[in-house]
Amino acid sequence: MKNIVWVKDPFIREEEEFERVAKYYSGNSKNSKELYQENFKYLKARYAGSSLFKLMDTDWRKMSNTDSWTTDTVNKMENAISINNAPRDVSRIFYQYASLKVSSPIALRLDNGKLELIAGNTRLMGARVLGITPKIVIIKTDW
């Protein structure tokens, strides 16, 4: 496949994922609402300053919150993202790859050095199925 242009999308495109992650890292304490708002602003600022990186196989294999590393067929991909055992249409992902312009998945680089995927699992699966080494946005955190 020809050279793919990996795109860092505007924050708003993945805002729901950032909200989910901010909520997760806020816990359930009585201050969780304030902590959520703080975490959301923190992620937004960190995302603004983040860059694209080639996802190395060693990191991909160990990345949490994704099963993309082991998804090497379209059938496995459809089954992995199925809703109520009904496979979802994955053609939109392959159209992105065919257009040679793909939205980059997003991961957190946690304080312990591990990567945690927060957006783009299906895009990573598509890359794996096609044998493409993706570029992802890595947000470095102190979490």
Side-chain angles (χ1 to χ4, degrees):
M1 188 167 275
K2 294 182 181 177
N3 289 339
I4 293 174
V5 175
W6 295 92
V7 179
K8 180 183 170 186
D9 285 326
F11 181 85
I12 196 163
R13 185 169 187 277
E14 297 287 359
E15 190 168 20
E16 288 181 13
E17 297 299 334
F18 285 108
E19 288 172 349
R20 178 186 56 78
V21 171
K23 215 172 273 186
Y24 175 81
Y25 281 99
S26 299
N28 293 320
S29 70
K30 63 181 180 178
N31 298 328
S32 60
K33 186 175 181 179
E34 293 83 15
L35 188 54
Y36 160 76
Q37 291 170 340
E38 224 175 272
N39 286 345
F40 185 78
K41 288 178 188 175
Y42 173 80
L43 286 171
K44 189 172 186 177
R46 290 292 186 152
Y47 183 73
S50 63
S51 301
L52 292 173
F53 295 91
K54 183 177 172 182
L55 181 58
M56 306 307 290
D57 286 352
T58 52
D59 283 331
W60 196 352
R61 190 178 292 118
K62 296 184 283 184
M63 186 185 305
S64 65
N65 197 35
T66 182
D67 49 5
S68 59
W69 178 256
T70 59
T71 304
D72 55 2
T73 68
V74 173
N75 189 46
K76 284 182 184 178
M77 184 177 172
E78 288 174 332
N79 290 334
I81 63 170
S82 66
I83 299 172
N84 298 326
N85 293 323
R88 284 178 33 205
D89 180 18
V90 296
S91 61
R92 66 179 179 80
I93 295 301
F94 293 112
Y95 286 131
Q96 269 193 43
Y97 284 100
S99 76
L100 302 178
K101 186 176 179 183
V102 180
S103 296
S104 292
I106 304 167
L108 300 179
R109 172 76 68 191
L110 302 174
D111 203 30
N112 62 9
K114 293 183 180 178
L115 281 178
E116 177 183 325
L117 186 69
I118 64 170
N121 189 45
T122 308
R123 285 169 267 166
L124 280 181
M125 287 182 189
R128 187 76 176 138
V129 168
L130 295 170
I132 295 169
T133 300
K135 287 188 179 177
I136 67 170
V137 177
I138 297 179
I139 302 170
K140 295 178 182 173
T141 71
D142 57 6
W143 294 342

